[in-house]
Amino acid sequence: MPSNVTRKKLVVGNWKMHGSRAANAVLLSGLKDEGPWNADVAVCVPFPYITETAQALTGQAVAFGAQDCSAHEQGAYTGEVSSAMLADIGCRFVIVGHSERRAYHHESDQLVADKAKAALAHGVTPIVCVGETLAEREAGQTEAVVKRQLAAVIHTLTHCIGEVVVAYEPVWAIGTGLTATPEQAQAVHALLRKQLHAATQKADAMRILYGGSVKLDNAAQLFVQADIDGGLIGGAALKAADFSAICRAAS
Ligand code: PGA
């Protein structure tokens, strides 16, 4: 160690179900003025806005992607969007298994793993989210929960696991203003890295992001931890200056 010397930080904005054509134009032009940063940067935006986002980002070192994809290849799945479609329009990333999808859409560990597999099959990098609820943390189940969630993905992707990005997002820290302390986050990241080591020789090169109320004032302390390789940013990704400051903290 330190094992993170070769890992370039990655900061991903998760816009969730926010935005409008007008608001996105302001945000994306703000990012253009703020960048570039010495970190990899991406935005995962609502489906209807991906193409316009791609156009607005032309010539900039900001990648774009989606917030979910189907586990299916194609077919009669009304309302779903395939990873082939995401690849077709140039998406570099897709978030899978966000806790909001696990909670509100009852996505199982296996479905999340299948989505990650579908994305990889089309060259779209899945950002696989794992994380425990407050009740699980208080019951001392954090380790068991995140390991179970990651194990499903490892088992399904086998030797391709090295191609994914993992995001540790404690559910109790998402959108609540509560953040895991840098030490709490690092402890879980180290566990996840260890689990990846047992599955792939690429574990040291893999990026494990932290997400959950990352803001300008806590980003630097989180990003300095040995196994935290950047962030998945929700609320603070909706203002160019705030998101840019977080990208700068990762630089
Ligand atoms: P937050 O969201 O930064 O608003 O807590 C993070 C996420 O859900 O990805």
Side-chain angles (χ1 to χ4, degrees):
M1 300 285 262
S3 59
N4 64 336
V5 280
T6 58
R7 294 193 295 269
K8 190 172 183 186
K9 295 268 194 288
L10 170 63
V11 180
V12 180
N14 172 13
W15 290 7
K16 308 195 182 189
M17 201 172 71
H18 293 291
S20 64
R21 296 179 73 189
N24 303 346
V26 172
L27 175 49
L28 291 166
S29 97
L31 289 184
K32 192 173 193 169
D33 296 340
E34 295 271 351
W37 309 269
N38 188 22
D40 290 334
V41 175
V43 289
C44 289
V45 311
F47 291 130
Y49 300 129
I50 295 176
T51 303
E52 233 172 35
T53 297
Q55 282 160 3
L57 292 172
T58 303
Q60 289 180 69
V62 178
F64 59 90
Q67 301 168 13
D68 184 35
C69 67
S70 174
H72 300 290
E73 185 59 31
Q74 62 167 347
Y77 300 103
T78 301
E80 294 218 53
V81 173
S82 73
S83 53
M85 294 170 186
L86 298 182
D88 195 25
I89 58 170
C91 287
R92 169 99 168 68
F93 294 104
V94 61
I95 298 169
V96 296
H98 191 281
S99 62
E100 288 151 15
R101 295 213 58 90
R102 290 181 190 261
Y104 309 146
H105 301 272
H106 312 292
E107 294 195 4
S108 66
D109 295 339
Q110 188 56 51
L111 179 62
V112 172
D114 291 341
K115 289 182 173 195
K117 187 173 183 179
L120 270 188
H122 292 281
V124 181
T125 300
I127 300 172
V128 179
C129 301
V130 300
E132 82 287 2
T133 63
L134 185 58
E136 288 164 341
R137 174 163 282 264
E138 287 174 345
Q141 295 168 348
T142 298
E143 177 169 352
V145 169
V146 299
K147 279 186 165 173
R148 188 201 72 223
Q149 292 172 333
L150 185 59
V153 184
I154 290 173
H155 182 74
T156 298
L157 298 188
T158 62
H159 62 280
C160 293
I161 186 66
E163 308 305 317
V164 315
V165 170
V166 176
Y168 169 55
E169 298 205 306
V171 178
W172 48 272
I174 294 176
T176 57
L178 298 172
T179 324
T181 65
E183 294 73 24
Q184 280 174 325
Q186 165 57 26
V188 177
H189 282 234
L191 281 174
L192 295 171
R193 177 104 44 213
K194 196 169 161 211
Q195 190 178 3
L196 291 167
H197 264 293
T200 173
Q201 292 183 338
K202 293 187 180 167
D204 273 337
M206 290 178 69
R207 291 186 286 197
I208 307 177
L209 313 182
Y210 171 79
S213 299
V214 178
K215 306 273 182 267
L216 170 60
D217 55 9
N218 58 25
Q221 298 144 285
L222 288 159
F223 296 162
V224 86
Q225 301 297 315
D227 290 291
I228 299 183
D229 308 310
L232 184 54
I233 318 300
L238 298 175
K239 284 206 182 120
D242 294 357
F243 187 59
S244 172
I246 292 169
C247 296
R248 217 171 291 123
S251 300

